[in-house]
Amino acid sequence: MRRVLRQVLDAEIERRMADTYRQQPDNAEPEVIDPEAWESRKPATRRRQRRR
């Protein structure tokens, strides 16, 4: 009984998601990706500590 109920609920969720997607699809325009955002930054230089 639980399995049947879960299958019915899952089917209803899938149907609602499909309806919502049809009403508001993803952007048709490709996203612009900034390659500099993915590049690692240069490591910071450490200052030399003075010995006493």
Side-chain angles (χ1 to χ4, degrees):
M1 185 69 178
R2 287 182 184 175
R3 184 169 45 107
V4 172
L5 183 59
R6 173 53 58 195
Q7 288 174 342
V8 170
L9 289 175
D10 287 346
E12 178 63 18
I13 290 170
E14 288 292 326
R15 186 190 64 77
R16 288 183 181 191
M17 285 175 48
D19 290 344
T20 302
Y21 185 76
R22 276 189 225 102
Q23 292 172 5
Q24 186 178 3
D26 287 345
N27 246 348
E29 299 176 14
E31 292 185 28
V32 177
I33 298 174
D34 182 15
E36 291 180 10
W38 293 94
E39 294 292 325
S40 61
R41 295 182 180 179
K42 293 180 181 176
T45 56
R46 296 180 81 183
R47 285 188 160 181
R48 238 184 193 173
Q49 292 182 351
R50 296 172 76 182
R51 287 191 167 171
R52 294 182 181 187

